[in-house]
Amino acid sequence: MRKDFYLAVQNRRSYYGIGKEKVVSEKKIEEVVKSAVKYTPSAFNSQGARVVVLFGDNHNELWNITKETLKEIVPEEEFAATEEKIASFRNGYGTVLFFIDDDVVKQLQKEYTLYKDNFPVWAQQSNGMLQYVVWTSLELEGLGASLQHYNPLIDDRVKSKWNLPDNWRLIAQMPFGKILATPEDKRFQPVEERVKIFN
Protein backbone atom coordinates (compact mmCIF):
# COMPACT_ATOMS: atom_id res chain seq x y z
CA MET A 1 0.00 0.00 0.00
CA ARG A 2 1.34 3.45 -0.90
CA LYS A 3 1.80 5.96 1.88
CA ASP A 4 -0.12 9.19 1.88
CA PHE A 5 1.91 12.06 0.35
CA TYR A 6 1.60 14.21 3.46
CA LEU A 7 2.76 11.36 5.66
CA ALA A 8 5.78 10.80 3.42
CA VAL A 9 6.67 14.49 3.72
CA GLN A 10 6.43 14.25 7.51
CA ASN A 11 8.47 11.04 7.72
CA ARG A 12 11.35 12.17 5.50
CA ARG A 13 14.33 12.72 7.79
CA SER A 14 18.12 12.73 7.72
CA TYR A 15 19.13 9.14 8.45
CA TYR A 16 22.80 8.63 9.31
CA GLY A 17 22.48 5.08 10.64
CA ILE A 18 22.06 3.17 7.38
CA GLY A 19 23.09 -0.30 6.21
CA LYS A 20 23.88 -2.25 3.05
CA GLU A 21 21.09 -4.81 3.36
CA LYS A 22 18.77 -4.72 0.34
CA VAL A 23 15.36 -3.18 1.09
CA VAL A 24 14.22 -2.77 -2.52
CA SER A 25 15.86 -3.76 -5.80
CA GLU A 26 18.37 -1.60 -7.65
CA LYS A 27 15.90 -1.59 -10.53
CA LYS A 28 13.23 -0.05 -8.29
CA ILE A 29 15.64 2.65 -7.11
CA GLU A 30 16.53 3.35 -10.74
CA GLU A 31 12.82 3.75 -11.56
CA VAL A 32 12.32 6.12 -8.61
CA VAL A 33 15.25 8.32 -9.63
CA LYS A 34 14.35 8.40 -13.32
CA SER A 35 10.75 9.35 -12.50
CA ALA A 36 11.96 12.13 -10.19
CA VAL A 37 14.31 13.48 -12.87
CA LYS A 38 11.58 13.36 -15.50
CA TYR A 39 8.83 15.06 -13.52
CA THR A 40 10.60 17.59 -11.26
CA PRO A 41 9.96 21.10 -12.64
CA SER A 42 12.67 23.39 -13.99
CA ALA A 43 12.73 27.00 -15.18
CA PHE A 44 11.67 27.31 -18.84
CA ASN A 45 11.42 23.49 -18.80
CA SER A 46 15.20 23.55 -19.22
CA GLN A 47 15.73 20.12 -17.59
CA GLY A 48 19.31 20.89 -16.61
CA ALA A 49 19.56 18.47 -13.68
CA ARG A 50 21.79 15.43 -14.06
CA VAL A 51 21.99 12.43 -11.72
CA VAL A 52 24.36 9.52 -11.17
CA VAL A 53 23.38 6.55 -8.98
CA LEU A 54 26.17 4.46 -7.48
CA PHE A 55 25.79 0.93 -6.10
CA GLY A 56 28.21 -1.68 -4.79
CA ASP A 57 31.91 -1.00 -5.34
CA ASN A 58 31.12 2.29 -7.09
CA HIS A 59 29.25 3.52 -4.01
CA ASN A 60 32.16 2.44 -1.78
CA GLU A 61 34.66 4.13 -4.07
CA LEU A 62 32.88 7.47 -3.84
CA TRP A 63 33.29 7.50 -0.08
CA ASN A 64 36.91 6.26 -0.36
CA ILE A 65 37.59 9.24 -2.63
CA THR A 66 35.88 11.56 -0.13
CA LYS A 67 37.88 10.14 2.78
CA GLU A 68 41.20 10.42 0.92
CA THR A 69 40.41 13.98 -0.18
CA LEU A 70 39.49 15.10 3.33
CA LYS A 71 42.56 13.42 4.85
CA GLU A 72 44.67 15.89 2.89
CA ILE A 73 43.00 18.93 4.47
CA VAL A 74 41.56 17.92 7.87
CA PRO A 75 44.02 18.20 10.79
CA GLU A 76 45.22 14.77 11.91
CA GLU A 77 43.88 15.18 15.45
CA GLU A 78 40.38 15.87 14.05
CA PHE A 79 40.36 13.23 11.32
CA ALA A 80 38.99 10.33 13.42
CA ALA A 81 35.57 12.02 13.67
CA THR A 82 35.60 12.78 9.94
CA GLU A 83 36.56 9.20 9.10
CA GLU A 84 33.73 7.87 11.27
CA LYS A 85 31.21 10.10 9.52
CA ILE A 86 32.41 9.04 6.06
CA ALA A 87 32.25 5.38 7.13
CA SER A 88 28.59 5.84 8.09
CA PHE A 89 27.84 6.95 4.53
CA ARG A 90 29.89 4.09 3.01
CA ASN A 91 27.86 1.67 5.18
CA GLY A 92 24.81 2.49 3.06
CA TYR A 93 23.43 0.63 0.06
CA GLY A 94 24.09 3.33 -2.52
CA THR A 95 24.52 7.03 -3.26
CA VAL A 96 22.73 9.46 -5.54
CA LEU A 97 24.90 12.25 -6.98
CA PHE A 98 23.15 15.43 -8.11
CA PHE A 99 24.60 17.71 -10.79
CA ILE A 100 23.70 20.84 -12.75
CA ASP A 101 24.57 20.89 -16.45
CA ASP A 102 26.19 24.33 -16.72
CA ASP A 103 25.93 24.24 -20.52
CA VAL A 104 22.14 24.31 -20.18
CA VAL A 105 22.36 27.33 -17.86
CA LYS A 106 24.74 29.17 -20.21
CA GLN A 107 22.51 28.51 -23.22
CA LEU A 108 19.50 29.93 -21.40
CA GLN A 109 21.53 33.00 -20.43
CA LYS A 110 22.32 33.57 -24.11
CA GLU A 111 18.73 33.07 -25.26
CA TYR A 112 17.04 35.09 -22.53
CA THR A 113 19.45 37.86 -21.56
CA LEU A 114 16.81 39.69 -19.52
CA TYR A 115 16.88 36.81 -17.00
CA LYS A 116 20.60 36.10 -17.28
CA ASP A 117 21.37 36.52 -13.57
CA ASN A 118 18.41 34.37 -12.53
CA PHE A 119 19.20 31.16 -14.40
CA PRO A 120 21.98 29.94 -12.05
CA VAL A 121 19.63 30.57 -9.09
CA TRP A 122 16.72 28.83 -10.78
CA ALA A 123 18.93 25.86 -11.66
CA GLN A 124 19.85 25.50 -7.98
CA GLN A 125 16.20 25.76 -6.97
CA SER A 126 15.17 23.09 -9.45
CA ASN A 127 17.98 20.83 -8.29
CA GLY A 128 16.86 21.32 -4.70
CA MET A 129 13.35 20.25 -5.67
CA LEU A 130 14.78 17.18 -7.39
CA GLN A 131 16.80 16.29 -4.31
CA TYR A 132 13.67 16.56 -2.20
CA VAL A 133 11.59 14.43 -4.58
CA VAL A 134 14.26 11.70 -4.65
CA TRP A 135 14.72 11.88 -0.85
CA THR A 136 10.98 11.60 -0.16
CA SER A 137 10.61 8.86 -2.77
CA LEU A 138 13.38 6.83 -1.13
CA GLU A 139 11.54 7.27 2.18
CA LEU A 140 8.38 5.92 0.54
CA GLU A 141 10.36 2.83 -0.47
CA GLY A 142 11.47 2.27 3.14
CA LEU A 143 15.00 3.65 2.76
CA GLY A 144 16.80 6.17 4.93
CA ALA A 145 18.91 8.91 3.34
CA SER A 146 20.74 12.15 4.11
CA LEU A 147 22.05 15.00 1.99
CA GLN A 148 25.78 15.75 1.96
CA HIS A 149 27.92 18.43 0.31
CA TYR A 150 31.55 17.45 -0.22
CA ASN A 151 31.63 19.37 -3.46
CA PRO A 152 33.67 21.06 -4.82
CA LEU A 153 36.44 19.19 -2.94
CA ILE A 154 35.73 15.86 -4.66
CA ASP A 155 34.43 17.14 -8.02
CA ASP A 156 37.48 16.52 -10.20
CA ARG A 157 38.10 13.01 -8.88
CA VAL A 158 34.43 12.09 -9.24
CA LYS A 159 34.30 13.29 -12.85
CA SER A 160 37.52 11.46 -13.64
CA LYS A 161 36.51 8.20 -11.95
CA TRP A 162 33.14 7.94 -13.69
CA ASN A 163 34.10 9.76 -16.90
CA LEU A 164 31.51 12.51 -16.49
CA PRO A 165 31.33 15.65 -18.67
CA ASP A 166 33.19 18.75 -17.50
CA ASN A 167 29.99 20.79 -17.76
CA TRP A 168 28.30 18.66 -15.06
CA ARG A 169 28.75 20.51 -11.75
CA LEU A 170 28.34 18.42 -8.60
CA ILE A 171 25.77 19.87 -6.21
CA ALA A 172 25.10 17.21 -3.55
CA GLN A 173 25.54 13.59 -2.53
CA MET A 174 22.74 11.47 -1.04
CA PRO A 175 23.84 8.21 0.63
CA PHE A 176 20.93 5.86 1.31
CA GLY A 177 20.30 2.42 2.76
CA LYS A 178 18.37 0.28 5.19
CA ILE A 179 17.38 2.29 8.26
CA LEU A 180 19.40 1.09 11.25
CA ALA A 181 18.92 4.02 13.64
CA THR A 182 16.02 6.41 14.00
CA PRO A 183 16.90 10.09 14.45
CA GLU A 184 15.76 12.01 17.51
CA ASP A 185 12.46 13.82 17.40
CA LYS A 186 12.69 17.00 15.36
CA ARG A 187 12.01 20.33 17.04
CA PHE A 188 9.88 22.82 15.19
CA GLN A 189 9.61 26.57 15.45
CA PRO A 190 5.98 27.69 15.74
CA VAL A 191 4.51 27.60 12.24
CA GLU A 192 2.47 30.68 13.11
CA GLU A 193 5.72 32.66 13.28
CA ARG A 194 6.82 31.42 9.87
CA VAL A 195 3.62 31.69 7.82
CA LYS A 196 1.34 34.66 7.32
CA ILE A 197 -2.17 34.23 5.93
CA PHE A 198 -4.26 37.11 4.60
CA ASN A 199 -7.96 36.44 3.86
Side-chain angles (χ1 to χ4, degrees):
M1 180 179 285
R2 306 297 293 179
K3 285 187 185 176
D4 180 272
F5 171 75
Y6 301 107
L7 187 59
V9 168
Q10 290 173 30
N11 289 342
R12 185 224 47 82
R13 297 289 306 278
S14 293
Y15 287 95
Y16 296 100
I18 55 175
K20 290 191 182 298
E21 186 179 335
K22 181 186 282 190
V23 175
V24 295
S25 68
E26 291 180 9
K27 182 171 176 51
K28 181 62 180 176
I29 294 166
E30 179 184 335
E31 289 173 4
V32 162
V33 170
K34 285 182 175 178
S35 178
V37 169
K38 184 174 181 178
Y39 293 110
T40 298
S42 58
F44 288 62
N45 195 31
S46 54
Q47 303 176 51
R50 304 290 180 260
V51 171
V52 171
V53 184
L54 304 173
F55 294 108
D57 291 340
N58 286 294
H59 159 77
N60 294 335
E61 183 60 21
L62 171 76
W63 297 108
N64 291 338
I65 287 170
T66 306
K67 175 185 167 184
E68 291 163 11
T69 302
L70 291 173
K71 192 165 190 178
E72 296 172 6
I73 59 173
V74 175
E76 189 175 340
E77 63 275 11
E78 298 173 20
F79 188 68
T82 299
E83 188 173 25
E84 184 179 346
K85 190 174 185 182
I86 298 302
S88 74
F89 305 142
R90 191 191 301 107
N91 286 342
Y93 187 72
T95 303
V96 183
L97 303 179
F98 297 90
F99 300 81
I100 289 174
D101 186 337
D102 282 330
D103 281 358
V104 172
V105 176
K106 289 173 185 173
Q107 184 60 38
L108 286 166
Q109 289 177 312
K110 285 180 187 175
E111 290 180 26
Y112 304 98
T113 55
L114 183 63
Y115 304 113
K116 181 179 179 182
D117 294 339
N118 296 102
F119 285 116
V121 177
W122 291 338
Q124 287 279 358
Q125 291 172 345
S126 178
N127 207 280
M129 287 189 280
L130 174 61
Q131 293 161 29
Y132 186 76
V133 171
V134 170
W135 199 347
T136 306
S137 299
L138 291 174
E139 193 284 326
L140 276 167
E141 298 299 332
L143 291 158
S146 67
L147 194 64
Q148 306 303 318
H149 300 90
Y150 291 100
N151 44 287
L153 296 172
I154 63 173
D155 292 25
D156 291 342
R157 291 187 66 180
V158 166
K159 287 180 186 178
S160 176
K161 172 65 182 176
W162 287 284
N163 195 29
L164 302 175
D166 286 339
N167 48 294
W168 286 25
R169 181 164 42 93
L170 186 59
I171 300 299
Q173 307 84 51
M174 184 177 288
F176 62 87
K178 180 179 180 179
I179 297 170
L180 301 180
T182 304
E184 295 179 7
D185 289 343
K186 193 171 183 178
R187 292 185 221 163
F188 295 95
Q189 297 176 8
V191 175
E192 293 74 17
E193 295 177 8
R194 301 170 62 193
V195 179
K196 293 186 182 296
I197 307 292
F198 299 95
N199 293 325

